[in-house]
Amino acid sequence: MEEHGTRVYDRLTDGRARRLRLAELVEAAATAFPGLVPTSGQLAAERSRAQAGKEGLEIDQGIFLRAVLRSPVAGPHLLDSMLRPTPRALGLLPEFTRTGLVEMESVRLERRDGVARLTLCRDDCLNAEDERQVDDMETAVDLALLDPGVRVGLVRGGEMSHPRYRGRRVFSAGINLKSLHAGDISLVGFLLRRELGYIGKLVRGVLVEGDGSWHAPTVEKPWTAAVDTFAIGGGAQLLLVFDQVLAASDSYFSLPAAREGIVPGAGNLRLGRVAGARLARQVILGGRRIWATEPEARLLADEVVEPELLDGAVEAAVLRLDGEAVVANRRMLNLAEEPPEEFRRYMAEFAFQQSLRLYGEDVLEKVGRFAGRPR
């Protein structure tokens, strides 16, 4: 793959004439180059086992995708392919445009006053992410970006039914460790799709080749996040791509990558830029928890208010991003802060390192321990 990655990719995509998403690409590779990556049948057999009982076939996918993303020809093409709207979103778009409401298992999407309000509603597991939630989030982000009636996006956690937090809003508990223990968190379907799919679209927009504006192939919109109670792991990672973040004063932020044993998505790329290298190491390597009332929290949240005032503060905040020049300026900020080539190189190495971490002895031991108790 190091020597032939670009040619392999060109064969699979007919010379980059076809845009394949990650899952389609690895499936095509398994057919065209037997033995290069696991087949769908092999992966299905792996999926039936707990994480500790798997053979680690996804590591071959990590090797394959590292080479594709490293290629200055194939890598950008794959990243752009992942910015295309999903078929599911395109199918739901007429309904959402007409009614302003789509309710999915993990996300409720409502358009009101030009604001797309994405409410994370996995109330039973504190909005811990699994593949279902990643799919619902990408669908919701696509719809918000494609609907001409939406000018600003807002993401917030809904009220929980979990006994410990019943009736309280929670932003996110991060990756669902029970699903990881059970073998239901995949490299391609969760860990890479999440970063290159809906999170990538929050940053760079949705790609609408052929029917977009002549001056911009992507449709971008500004995004606000509101944090209630906590943003742990993947929830904290997510905050790093929003244009503004508000937090309740009794909430906290945590990115316990070392405790869980895996690489926290693009958090290693972004947290140091946002909060500084020393604090990033304290959080990612040392597991430091940052409370919203700490001075360092101002590096992660633009505004911290008392919980009873958060609703009003959020409404005022989304209005601040509803301006003609906001999209152009956020595009230039994102280009300066995270050039696509830098992101591509990071994700190439992430694909490989994360595939190894999924099968590390420490990870298997830790998720087995965490899986038996609530977050």
Side-chain angles (χ1 to χ4, degrees), residues 1-11 33 36 64 67-68 71 74:
M1 283 304 298
E2 287 185 6
E3 182 176 350
H4 303 290
T6 300
R7 279 177 283 177
V8 166
Y9 186 81
D10 278 354
R11 177 173 167 184
F33 300 96
L36 185 61
F64 169 77
V68 169
S71 165

Side-chain angles (χ1 to χ4, degrees), residues 1 4-13 15-16 18-20 25 64-82 341 344:
M1 283 304 298
H4 303 290
T6 300
R7 279 177 283 177
V8 166
Y9 186 81
D10 278 354
R11 177 173 167 184
L12 298 176
T13 60
R16 282 162 280 131
R18 293 197 300 152
R19 291 208 174 274
L20 301 180
L25 182 67
F64 169 77
L65 290 169
R66 176 174 64 171
V68 169
L69 288 166
R70 275 182 172 177
S71 165
V73 175
H77 189 269
L78 176 57
L79 292 182
D80 281 352
S81 299
M82 289 300 294
E341 286 300 291
R344 175 178 66 81

